[in-house]
Amino acid sequence: MNTLKNIWVINDDGINAAGIAKLAEHALHFGEVTVIAPESQCSAMSQRLTLDHPIYLTEVPFQVKGVKKAYSVNGTPADCILSALDSGLLVPPDIVFSGINDGTNVGVDILYSGTVGAAMQALVYGIPAMAFSIDREAQDFSLVDEQMDDLIRDLLGKEIAYNELWNVNFPRSTPQEFAGIAYDRIPDNQFHARNIAPAAENTDLEAVANGYISIGKLKNMIL
């Protein structure tokens, strides 16, 4: 495993969110980490870009020791990618990790997700990306701590198209309740928060509802 990867960690919950700290912590096991995140909560912004005011990167302290640098951005998750690439301050990353989102990004929710939107913005520039989310009712990150490193290592070794990203969703399960990893999940056709029908078979929503980590590919159809 190459331990020299240049990794950018991004989210939509803001620079001070617990999820981005946890993702940065695990990303450090795979390479050099720079954190770039919105200065405030930016959920449900999809791939929105800011057009009505200038976007700035501001270097800030970060809560995880070992992170090379951290920047807050006065814009959206997608702005984080665009502004960081345009700034000239940073070397473009080998990969972008987006998350860990507070709440799963499954089914129709994916269309609105700022976490997925940041990862999709990375694809626009030819940068591989993974999006990570966890059920909002999870008590802690214990399942993430148990599974994340092996999961990232596994996905880094798998082939994926240039216009696809990995979408990973952790269930609310504790390590003791964890059912396993469900690969090749497709998005269910309903909102996770509003689902009134049983999740369809082989979908992301079915997987997380039954205690599995859901892993699927999301495609940018424009690229």
Side-chain angles (χ1 to χ4, degrees), residues 85-109:
L85 289 172
D86 285 350
S87 70
L89 298 173
L90 304 172
V91 176
D94 298 308
I95 194 166
V96 164
F97 291 165
S98 187
I100 299 171
N101 190 68
D102 181 18
T104 52
N105 280 308
V106 296
V108 179
D109 301 34

Side-chain angles (χ1 to χ4, degrees), residues 33-46:
V33 173
T34 300
V35 172
I36 309 160
E39 62 184 11
S40 59
Q41 172 64 249
C42 284
S43 292
M45 289 199 174
S46 188

Side-chain angles (χ1 to χ4, degrees), residues 139-155:
Q139 294 183 357
D140 54 34
F141 290 111
S142 56
L143 182 60
V144 170
D145 286 330
E146 182 181 87
Q147 297 292 326
M148 181 68 95
D149 285 1
D150 286 343
L151 189 154
I152 291 175
R153 191 173 294 109
D154 182 40
L155 294 182

Side-chain angles (χ1 to χ4, degrees), residues 126-142:
I127 301 166
M130 300 182 190
F132 300 91
S133 306
I134 189 169
D135 193 298
R136 192 166 279 120
E137 294 185 21
Q139 294 183 357
D140 54 34
F141 290 111
S142 56

Side-chain angles (χ1 to χ4, degrees), residues 25-219:
E25 179 184 319
H26 284 277
L28 283 165
H29 300 157
F30 295 89
E32 190 173 76
V33 173
T34 300
V35 172
I36 309 160
E39 62 184 11
S40 59
Q41 172 64 249
C42 284
S43 292
M45 289 199 174
S46 188
Q47 211 168 329
R48 173 185 168 183
L49 294 175
T50 299
L51 302 177
D52 61 353
H53 63 260
I55 298 298
Y56 300 104
L57 278 74
T58 303
E59 189 171 350
V60 295
F62 194 65
Q63 52 194 308
V64 176
K65 184 178 180 179
V67 166
K68 182 181 179 182
K69 286 189 176 181
Y71 299 88
S72 75
V73 177
N74 63 326
T76 69
D79 286 331
C80 291
I81 295 287
L82 183 60
S83 59
L85 289 172
D86 285 350
S87 70
L89 298 173
L90 304 172
V91 176
D94 298 308
I95 194 166
V96 164
F97 291 165
S98 187
I100 299 171
N101 190 68
D102 181 18
T104 52
N105 280 308
V106 296
V108 179
D109 301 34
I110 291 168
L111 296 174
Y112 304 92
S113 167
T115 298
V116 173
M120 283 290 182
Q121 190 68 23
L123 291 188
V124 170
Y125 295 95
I127 301 166
M130 300 182 190
F132 300 91
S133 306
I134 189 169
D135 193 298
R136 192 166 279 120
E137 294 185 21
Q139 294 183 357
D140 54 34
F141 290 111
S142 56
L143 182 60
V144 170
D145 286 330
E146 182 181 87
Q147 297 292 326
M148 181 68 95
D149 285 1
D150 286 343
L151 189 154
I152 291 175
R153 191 173 294 109
D154 182 40
L155 294 182
L156 287 174
K158 290 183 179 294
E159 291 188 7
I160 190 167
Y162 72 95
N163 64 338
E164 293 179 328
L165 61 88
W166 294 111
N167 187 38
V168 179
N169 284 278
F170 287 83
R172 71 189 68 174
S173 308
T174 66
Q176 295 73 31
E177 299 165 337
F178 176 52
I181 299 176
Y183 286 89
D184 301 320
R185 299 301 94 179
I186 60 175
D188 195 75
N189 64 354
Q190 56 186 317
F191 287 97
H192 181 203
R194 302 177 185 177
N195 56 301
I196 57 175
E201 291 185 3
N202 300 317
T203 61
D204 48 13
L205 180 53
E206 179 199 41
V208 295
N210 288 290
Y212 289 84
I213 295 173
S214 170
I215 299 178
K217 295 177 181 179
L218 301 178
K219 181 177 292 187

